[in-house]
Amino acid sequence: MGIDYSSAKKLIRHASEHGMGQRVLMLGRQRMQVKDRLVPALDRLLDELKLDMTFADLQQEDGYTETFFKALGATTVDSLDISDFEGANLIHDLNAPVPDDLPRDYDLVFDGGTTEHIFDVATCMDNLNTLLAPNGMLCACSPGNNWFAHGFYQFGPELVYGYWKHGCGFDVLDCVMLPEMPRDKELAIPDPASKGTRPRMRGKMPNQRVYLYYEVRKGAQAHRWNRALQTDYVRKWGDHEVASDKDDGEFAEMRRAQTQAASKAETS
């Protein structure tokens, strides 16, 4: 995949609100894939955010996107892939743990459509955690609805909350259903722990391809995952333990921790 209109818009806003960071890693060497008719909308966004550039300043002749990230603030832009067929400068299969000789100090890792092609999801996600510096951020634009047969998986918001937030202690900065084309609006997806139920998307999903777009930060409470469980099931199991007079049960405690984390995020 690459950086299209929707992901470019989100990354430009991210750079304006949070900064791009000095060291950026692309998963796969990303190409720019913004349709010409949508360029004026991105120019208006850059002007709205008071960024002294046009979209033309973010492009490079070979169609790749190192210039895009550097214009938005990055100093170093690397790309990691299993093959150098597109010119990635770091070669590694993310199905296997990252070796010690790969950098582990990236301020931002961008997944523009790579992780759904990697069969060993647990190892892949753990690798991304390893590659991030403290306070580093992962920005991901992963295929969601209507991408059947694109890769091994189509990820949902439970990856963001059940794994990154509650499984690894990361801060969630953004989690939305993001339409590929601008005729439909993005839809924010809250932490299921806040209500104890799964996000209900019936009647809200547009009839076009959509992404799961999310931004998570490796904050002070972040750690490597040792267990990731689906959020709404943790609530059910925890409720069962409480009803069985097991207030100190494993899932009752986990449910309380998830609820507190969700409440803290909503009030911050």
Side-chain angles (χ1 to χ4, degrees):
M1 293 177 64
I3 297 177
D4 64 3
Y5 168 80
S6 292
S7 53
K9 178 180 65 174
K10 296 295 285 187
L11 286 168
I12 290 168
R13 285 197 177 277
H14 175 90
S16 175
E17 294 173 10
H18 304 288
M20 188 58 67
Q22 292 188 334
R23 291 180 58 79
V24 169
L25 176 67
M26 295 184 280
L27 304 184
R29 192 176 181 212
Q30 300 289 299
R31 286 183 173 274
M32 188 61 70
Q33 298 179 340
V34 176
K35 298 180 184 299
D36 290 342
R37 63 184 176 83
L38 297 175
V39 168
L42 291 177
D43 281 335
R44 289 193 294 273
L45 175 63
L46 290 164
D47 184 61
E48 171 195 327
L49 297 174
K50 298 183 172 21
L51 297 173
D52 188 20
M53 62 187 76
T54 66
F55 187 70
D57 299 321
L58 305 181
Q59 301 188 67
Q60 61 193 60
E61 290 185 4
D62 63 3
Y64 288 99
T65 54
E66 287 83 5
T67 297
F68 175 85
F69 289 104
K70 288 181 178 180
L72 292 173
T75 300
T76 301
V77 182
D78 292 326
S79 51
L80 185 151
D81 209 334
I82 194 172
S83 164
D84 64 357
F85 80 117
E86 289 183 308
N89 65 312
L90 300 175
I91 306 303
H92 178 68
D93 179 0
L94 286 171
N95 282 294
V98 291
D100 292 339
D101 60 349
L102 278 184
R104 301 176 180 219
D105 58 351
Y106 289 103
D107 300 304
L108 184 140
V109 171
F110 176 63
D111 172 18
T114 293
T115 53
E116 74 274 12
H117 300 289
I118 298 169
F119 188 76
D120 191 340
V121 176
T123 299
C124 174
M125 296 299 166
D126 193 43
N127 282 335
L128 304 190
N129 191 340
T130 300
L131 291 165
L132 284 168
N135 289 315
M137 289 178 274
L138 167 64
C139 295
C141 193
S142 299
N145 206 41
N146 292 328
W147 289 87
F148 186 74
H150 175 81
F152 284 114
Y153 308 105
Q154 293 182 178
F155 294 119
E158 197 59 50
L159 174 68
V160 182
Y161 293 109
Y163 177 80
W164 284 113
K165 181 175 182 178
H166 300 300
C168 296
F170 274 53
D171 304 316
V172 178
L173 306 179
D174 199 7
C175 180
V176 300
M177 180 201 71
L178 181 67
E180 181 184 25
M181 301 302 292
R183 65 177 180 267
D184 295 297
K185 293 183 179 180
E186 66 182 65
L187 177 67
I189 305 173
D191 185 352
S194 62
K195 294 184 177 180
T197 58
R198 300 172 189 174
R200 303 301 180 187
M201 307 304 292
R202 185 175 181 179
K204 301 176 182 178
M205 190 71 69
N207 187 26
Q208 62 159 304
R209 296 195 297 189
V210 300
Y211 301 112
L212 170 70
Y213 180 88
Y214 65 92
E215 300 174 0
V216 293
R217 178 172 53 207
K218 189 176 182 178
Q221 304 303 315
H223 53 82
R224 289 188 64 187
W225 79 292
N226 53 18
R227 199 174 191 191
L229 299 173
Q230 189 165 327
T231 310
D232 64 308
Y233 279 122
V234 169
R235 185 182 183 95
K236 292 175 182 177
W237 298 330
D239 287 346
H240 172 72
E241 287 185 340
V242 171
S244 303
D245 294 326
K246 299 177 182 177
D247 288 3
D248 59 349
E250 173 187 9
F251 300 117
E253 292 183 356
M254 188 179 296
R255 178 203 163 176
R256 283 192 290 272
Q258 290 188 355
T259 302
Q260 290 171 2
S263 298
K264 182 179 178 182
E266 288 180 349
T267 57
S268 62

